[in-house]
Amino acid sequence: MSHINIDGEQNVEVSRKIPCEKSIEEQLNIMIAYTNAYKTHLHNDKAHRELACLKVIYPRLFRSIEPDDRIAGRLDFLPIGFGSVTSLGGVGHYCVFHKLRAFKAQLQTEQDKAIVDQLYDFWQDHDVKTIYCQDILNDTTTGRFIDCTYPFMATARLSGMMLNYEKLVNLGLPGLFAEIQKQEANDFIDASIGALHLLEDVIDDQIEKVKQSKVKDQKRMINDLIYIKDHKPKTFHQALQLFWLYALCAGCINYGRLDIVLGPFLQQDLDNGTITWQEAYEDMHSLWTLIENRRTTVNGRIIVGGKGRKNVKACDTFTRLCLEVCRNTRYVEPQFTLRFDKNTPQDILDMAYDCIADGATYPTLYNDEINVPAVAYAMRLDETIAEQYVPFGCGEYVIQGKSVGTPNTLLNLLKILQISMNQGIDPMDHTYKAGPVQLKPIHELKTFDAFYDQYKKLLDYYFDLSIEAQVHSYTIMNQEVSFLFPSILMDDCIQRRKALLDGGVEILGGTNETYGNINTSDALYAIKTLVYDQKKYTIDQLNEAALHNFEGEESLRKELVNLPKYGNDIKDVDEMANDLYEYVAKGIRNRGIQAGLGYYLIVISNNQTNTDWGHQTAASLDGRKAGVYMNPANNPQGGAAKSGPTAVLNSLSLFDAKYHGGSVQNIKFTPKMMHKDADKIKALWRTYFKKGGCQLMVTVVDHGTLEDAQTHPEKYPDLIVRVAGYSAIFVNLGKDVQDELLSRTLYESF
């Protein structure tokens, strides 16, 4: 039996999942069959064990085709199965234990319930994430995602895979077979061939499902499925169909630069009259819907635009098509993303602005003039390779088809500061969490540099824990699975005859999510100012006030709140934020290099973890009370930015992008301002990007709308907001997350 708690939530879930199409009995039978396949091949090579298990769930888990679908491919997910990400099950061979318990409650017979208990007991020893957690987690410093009582969380997932779909559509299945079969055989190569044969079975199954459906364009769908089984695609629809089915089988939930993949097919078909613009629009709208229906919360990235595209005309045509679909839909996924540079056509930039102004929250904007050289430096790559960077999830970067870079570690910088101030004790739960680090009482730290150095000493310890956990996550995943479908389309797995994490992938990287960075820098500024510069208070006085959540110290708290804050273009405050940023970013990056990873970088993002972690973080010396949400990503704490949008963007542009692996900038405008002051806002954004801004995400909402939606959620079923690196339906969020969003400044004028 497991020695750790495995039964709680494993992922932040906001989107409401579409219920499984299969009966309870069939679901149970599939999970039994999957488990039996695993047991039968328990001592076989991992690649063949994986293939045997995949044959149980594919094509069996594929759902019926729906009447409006124009491409085939919908999947169910069960509490036991195979995957790469927690938002659709788990990593490798997985069991989502709390969902299995919920499934058990639906069963009618004691015999079936006993079977589920047996499955539960078996997977406690074989679920990949649980195996990892047994090695890494402990009672004080390292908890699992999402256990926010810890200052550091670790997990195992591969959500950062964006495959080389360009290779897929250019070679087709026959070309992939030929490439693999010319390699000298080994277990991985043999299982990869088996995986492609399984994809052929999936295509056959989809043909039958289309025949049984009521889709309007049944003949085209059937003919194109038949064609792509034995030929490389020659039309836009065929390429789109092959890409989608492969992505589903691979378990990948981010899709990358689809303008490069699909743009040439679209342009060719438009030019020769094979397809009309309206037909292409309907095909893409169908893809949008299929991605939305997966409900992965923070994923579904489709990226268009930017540097490193060969057929720019075709790519831009595809970009315009996607922008049109984006503007006319109100989905939280796909996370539609526009990379741009100095050569991006003005009409595309204008279309993007119109999408955002109309409240779509997409596209998110990425500045290639900054990001390409930054990625080249951060990941130690040639700029030609760096041009293929793609953001995923909450904003982390990978290189499409070449790198894995999942954030399997997360740090609460604010909680670590508080622990450093209290000789290793976390004031939230009074538990020692400093490991072997010797910390002095803070009254012995006579200068701010000495105080800051003690904090850095504890940060270093947590940096070391982070890199160990990140590397070990890959070790355990590779020990258990090959990730056959992803490996086939990731450079250089086939040529090296090695699975993804077994030395196959060209660049093995990683990212570390950091939280509370601005709360921490604002607190450091307050300490430096009030204790060491002005000598108005002792450090013990400030710490005691925070330990008591400022009870009886409201005047002191008011003074802390009113001190200058990040986000107002104030030099000293922003420099403190940047100093902390560079220390953390360089410390993490250097440890990745020392550990032999291609890269290991911080990502300044958040899902709703800034809120969840805030609940478990004591009062801080920026004036924030205990249990209150922390700042979102790279942005000021709610209510702190009081000097207008220009000032906040000036602060945001300060951090040098070459040290991080992704960063999120959120800002809110009213629709009136977006339309009335469009030229001014466009000029503001141009200046921000020119000054070094790497990314921008915008929510457009009327004043008072979010407040009303909290009170009357039934009136706002489709109100979309940016949470951080992703969008969500506002009324689906918990009240605490809604409150954090409400705290962010809404700009109504300059």
Side-chain angles (χ1 to χ4, degrees):
M1 296 291 291
S2 175
H3 302 293
I4 61 168
N5 175 21
I6 56 173
D7 202 29
E9 297 287 340
Q10 297 184 49
N11 190 52
V12 173
E13 291 190 0
V14 175
S15 302
R16 297 173 182 173
K17 303 293 187 185
I18 294 175
C20 181
E21 182 181 66
K22 287 132 190 83
S23 68
I24 293 295
E25 293 76 16
E26 186 177 2
Q27 292 179 53
L28 179 57
N29 288 336
I30 293 171
M31 290 190 287
I32 292 171
Y34 187 95
T35 304
N36 287 338
Y38 184 94
K39 289 178 178 178
T40 299
H41 296 273
L42 181 61
H43 301 296
N44 292 358
D45 177 79
K46 62 182 179 179
H48 290 292
R49 180 173 64 237
E50 179 178 326
L51 180 60
C53 290
L54 290 175
K55 287 180 177 179
V56 173
I57 57 176
Y58 298 148
R60 199 169 176 183
L61 283 182
F62 276 83
R63 296 171 63 98
S64 302
I65 309 295
E66 298 195 1
D68 291 334
D69 290 346
R70 292 175 64 86
I71 54 176
R74 291 174 173 270
L75 266 177
D76 278 327
F77 292 89
L78 303 180
I80 293 171
F82 189 91
S84 61
V85 292
T86 52
S87 53
L88 289 179
V91 60
H93 303 286
Y94 71 79
C95 178
V96 186
F97 293 98
H98 72 285
K99 291 187 176 180
L100 185 60
R101 288 170 63 90
F103 174 83
K104 176 184 173 182
Q106 301 177 62
L107 298 172
Q108 300 300 312
T109 70
E110 292 304 315
Q111 181 180 5
D112 284 347
K113 291 180 181 180
I115 290 173
V116 170
D117 287 339
Q118 293 170 8
L119 295 175
Y120 191 101
D121 289 343
F122 176 81
W123 285 107
Q124 284 187 101
D125 294 324
H126 299 284
D127 166 67
V128 173
K129 178 176 279 190
T130 302
I131 295 170
Y132 168 73
C133 287
Q134 299 283 18
D135 293 343
I136 290 295
L137 306 191
N138 58 54
D139 293 331
T140 56
T141 59
T142 310
R144 68 169 191 164
F145 186 64
I146 49 176
D147 189 342
C148 294
T149 62
Y150 292 82
F152 170 58
M153 294 188 287
T155 188
R157 54 188 176 178
L158 276 179
S159 57
M161 288 184 295
M162 294 203 209
L163 308 184
N164 188 349
Y165 295 115
E166 185 180 14
K167 176 180 179 179
L168 172 69
V169 297
N170 288 339
L171 292 180
L173 288 186
L176 286 181
F177 270 120
E179 181 181 74
I180 298 172
Q181 288 169 338
K182 72 181 182 181
Q183 304 297 325
E184 182 181 350
N186 63 13
D187 288 320
F188 168 67
I189 291 296
D190 291 344
S192 295
I193 293 170
L196 291 186
H197 283 305
L198 181 56
L199 181 55
E200 291 180 318
D201 294 341
V202 168
I203 294 172
D204 286 337
D205 173 76
Q206 293 303 293
I207 292 170
E208 293 306 310
K209 282 184 167 58
V210 174
K211 289 178 180 179
Q212 298 164 15
S213 74
K214 297 180 180 180
V215 293
K216 299 174 184 178
D217 203 2
Q218 187 180 73
K219 183 177 180 180
R220 181 181 72 147
M221 289 177 69
I222 292 172
N223 288 340
D224 283 350
L225 284 163
I226 292 172
Y227 190 86
I228 63 173
K229 182 180 175 183
D230 298 316
H231 304 84
K232 66 179 181 180
K234 65 178 181 180
T235 69
F236 174 66
H237 185 262
Q238 290 168 1
L240 179 59
Q241 180 66 82
L242 180 60
F243 143 74
W244 180 242
L245 287 179
Y246 198 104
L248 291 178
C249 290
C252 293
I253 55 176
N254 292 288
Y255 312 108
R257 308 188 77 181
L258 288 191
D259 56 345
I260 293 175
V261 177
L262 299 174
F265 290 92
L266 173 63
Q267 190 69 58
Q268 167 193 280
D269 286 4
L270 290 171
D271 289 345
N272 63 27
T274 304
I275 196 172
T276 67
W277 184 264
Q278 181 59 32
E279 288 170 334
Y281 174 89
E282 291 172 3
D283 288 345
M284 284 307 298
H285 191 280
S286 182
L287 177 65
W288 241 251
T289 301
L290 291 170
I291 292 173
E292 191 280 336
N293 285 182
R294 297 189 84 185
R295 309 285 170 85
T296 66
T297 298
V298 302
N299 296 287
R301 288 266 186 173
I302 290 177
I303 295 124
V304 296
K307 296 178 181 291
R309 301 177 300 162
K310 296 176 183 175
N311 191 338
V312 174
K313 177 185 175 183
C315 290
D316 284 348
T317 298
F318 182 84
T319 297
R320 294 181 180 96
L321 179 66
C322 290
L323 284 163
E324 190 173 323
V325 175
C326 175
R327 187 173 184 182
N328 294 332
T329 54
R330 288 295 182 269
Y331 296 156
V332 297
E333 293 182 75
Q335 282 206 69
F336 181 49
T337 299
L338 175 66
R339 287 175 44 180
F340 67 92
D341 62 9
K342 62 184 179 182
N343 296 317
T344 300
Q346 187 60 47
D347 73 298
I348 286 178
L349 295 174
D350 290 341
M351 289 178 74
Y353 185 92
D354 290 341
C355 286
I356 296 168
D358 285 350
T361 73
Y362 297 116
T364 56
L365 304 174
Y366 282 79
N367 179 10
D368 273 12
E369 301 297 343
I370 296 297
N371 290 327
V372 169
V375 168
Y377 177 88
M379 297 186 183
R380 298 177 295 152
L381 303 172
D382 182 271
E383 281 205 15
T384 302
I385 297 175
E387 287 178 343
Q388 302 307 322
Y389 84 92
V390 279
F392 71 94
C394 290
E396 305 88 349
Y397 298 151
V398 287
I399 306 300
Q400 181 137 13
K402 289 184 178 294
S403 80
V404 172
T406 306
N408 286 341
T409 53
L410 306 87
L411 284 174
N412 184 339
L413 301 182
L414 185 59
K415 185 181 280 286
I416 295 172
L417 174 64
Q418 295 168 344
I419 293 168
S420 77
M421 293 177 65
N422 292 280
Q423 289 188 272
I425 302 296
D426 182 348
M428 199 66 181
D429 60 9
H430 310 293
T431 300
Y432 182 83
K433 299 178 182 178
V437 180
Q438 298 296 312
L439 299 169
K440 294 181 179 180
I442 50 176
H443 66 263
E444 294 183 9
L445 306 173
K446 301 303 182 182
T447 66
F448 177 73
D449 286 345
F451 176 89
Y452 199 7
D453 285 345
Q454 174 153 295
Y455 173 46
K456 290 176 179 177
K457 184 178 179 181
L458 190 57
L459 282 175
D460 287 343
Y461 170 62
Y462 275 97
F463 296 166
D464 291 339
L465 292 179
S466 298
I467 187 59
E468 291 168 9
Q470 180 77 30
V471 170
H472 195 62
S473 70
Y474 293 148
T475 299
I476 293 299
M477 285 186 274
N478 182 57
Q479 170 187 299
E480 300 297 319
V481 291
S482 293
F483 298 106
L484 292 171
F485 279 109
S487 294
I488 292 169
L489 288 187
M490 289 290 280
D491 303 344
D492 292 320
C493 297
I494 297 302
Q495 287 73 19
R496 294 176 178 177
R497 302 167 53 248
K498 293 182 177 181
L500 190 77
L501 301 178
D502 204 21
V505 71
E506 184 173 323
I507 306 167
L508 182 62
T511 43
N512 186 325
E513 297 181 13
T514 59
Y515 292 84
N517 53 325
I518 300 304
N519 297 107
T520 303
S521 66
D522 281 346
L524 290 170
Y525 179 83
I527 292 166
K528 181 177 185 298
T529 300
L530 297 180
V531 175
Y532 295 103
D533 292 346
Q534 297 180 0
K535 304 188 185 305
K536 190 171 184 179
Y537 301 96
T538 67
I539 187 62
D540 281 330
Q541 285 176 310
L542 291 187
N543 191 40
E544 283 298 313
L547 290 175
H548 293 89
N549 204 24
F550 302 111
E551 292 181 10
E553 297 284 358
E554 284 304 316
S555 61
L556 172 57
R557 178 172 179 265
K558 184 177 180 180
E559 191 171 357
L560 290 170
V561 169
N562 289 334
L563 281 173
K565 294 286 190 291
Y566 172 85
N568 295 283
D569 196 16
I570 301 171
K571 182 180 178 182
D572 291 348
V573 182
D574 291 354
E575 285 180 350
M576 179 64 73
N578 186 61
D579 189 84
L580 175 63
Y581 155 70
E582 291 206 0
Y583 186 81
V584 175
K586 292 176 181 178
I588 292 295
R589 182 176 183 269
N590 289 339
R591 281 163 176 80
I593 294 171
Q594 293 164 7
L597 288 180
Y599 60 88
Y600 182 50
L601 306 167
I602 70 164
V603 54
I604 314 171
S605 69
N606 70 283
N607 30 66
Q608 63 184 58
T609 306
N610 67 308
T611 298
D612 293 338
W613 228 331
H615 293 329
Q616 300 296 330
T617 301
S620 48
L621 291 176
D622 57 340
R624 174 194 148 275
K625 283 201 164 187
V628 173
Y629 46 78
M630 299 190 297
N631 76 282
N634 198 26
N635 301 273
Q637 178 74 352
K642 299 177 180 179
S643 303
T646 302
V648 74
L649 290 179
N650 282 341
S651 292
L652 289 172
S653 66
L654 180 66
F655 294 174
D656 193 332
K658 72 181 183 181
Y659 298 124
H660 65 63
S663 177
V664 173
Q665 280 66 236
N666 284 303
I667 196 165
K668 291 196 303 185
F669 296 102
T670 63
K672 181 180 178 181
M673 186 178 181
M674 286 291 290
H675 291 289
K676 180 182 177 182
D677 295 322
D679 289 340
K680 291 182 180 179
I681 292 178
K682 290 177 182 179
L684 172 68
W685 293 0
R686 283 195 298 270
T687 301
Y688 159 69
F689 288 124
K690 188 175 181 179
K691 292 181 68 173
C694 60
Q695 186 258 19
L696 193 63
M697 297 177 171
V698 183
T699 294
V700 177
V701 64
D702 275 315
H703 181 75
T705 297
L706 299 184
E707 292 87 346
D708 193 48
Q710 267 195 325
T711 307
H712 304 288
E714 71 282 356
K715 293 165 55 180
Y716 301 92
D718 301 315
L719 177 60
I720 300 176
V721 293
R722 293 300 301 182
V723 179
Y726 69 98
S727 293
I729 301 294
F730 181 77
V731 298
N732 288 348
L733 299 167
K735 185 179 182 301
D736 53 353
V737 181
Q738 292 177 349
D739 288 341
E740 193 273 307
L741 295 176
L742 281 165
S743 75
R744 302 179 190 178
T745 302
L746 173 61
Y747 295 107
E748 302 180 79
S749 62
F750 281 91

